[in-house]
Amino acid sequence: MSGRLIDLEQARAGMLLADDLTDANGTVLLPGGAALTEANLASLRRRGIESCRVAEAEAQEDEAARAQRHALAQQRLARLFRHSAEAEATPLLLHLLAAHRRNG
């Protein structure tokens, strides 16, 4: 898989690794093709990993595509919770689910 080397601070959840991501000892931390998550990005930062190679298509995803994905996710949540709008916990649950979907 061809890819582009980026600083780990530029990496975002959902990006796909182009190659195996290894530490200084050569241990594979994440295999090529794995989707990055907020949790594994945090773990990589703690391990001192500074960069990774992401699949080119993932590196070039534009803001419009992210916004469209976000809007579709919000529509789906609204549909799933359409019958429980009166429940007291619904707004908090919707907020937490939306945050979870944005982050990973």
Side-chain angles (χ1 to χ4, degrees), residues 84-102:
S84 61
E86 303 301 318
E88 188 176 312
T90 298
L92 176 59
L93 183 57
L94 281 171
H95 173 75
L96 292 171
L97 282 170
H100 172 75
R101 286 187 174 191
R102 271 192 309 273

Side-chain angles (χ1 to χ4, degrees), residues 6-96:
I6 62 170
D7 185 76
L8 197 63
E9 295 306 315
Q10 295 174 311
R12 300 288 173 251
M15 288 182 163
L16 299 178
L17 290 174
D19 304 312
D20 289 349
L21 185 58
T22 59
D23 64 11
N25 298 322
T27 303
V28 175
L29 302 174
L30 290 170
L36 293 171
T37 66
E38 289 299 325
N40 59 33
L41 285 169
S43 177
L44 294 170
R45 288 182 189 106
R46 283 192 305 271
R47 289 176 174 262
I49 303 299
E50 297 178 358
S51 63
C52 63
R53 188 169 298 282
V54 294
E56 198 62 38
E58 294 297 324
Q60 293 181 355
E61 181 184 34
D62 63 10
E63 189 62 34
R66 279 190 289 275
Q68 183 180 15
R69 253 193 358 262
H70 176 70
L72 290 173
Q74 291 298 106
Q75 289 172 3
R76 173 128 173 90
L77 285 174
R79 190 174 72 74
L80 289 171
F81 285 87
R82 68 187 178 279
H83 297 299
S84 61
E86 303 301 318
E88 188 176 312
T90 298
L92 176 59
L93 183 57
L94 281 171
H95 173 75
L96 292 171

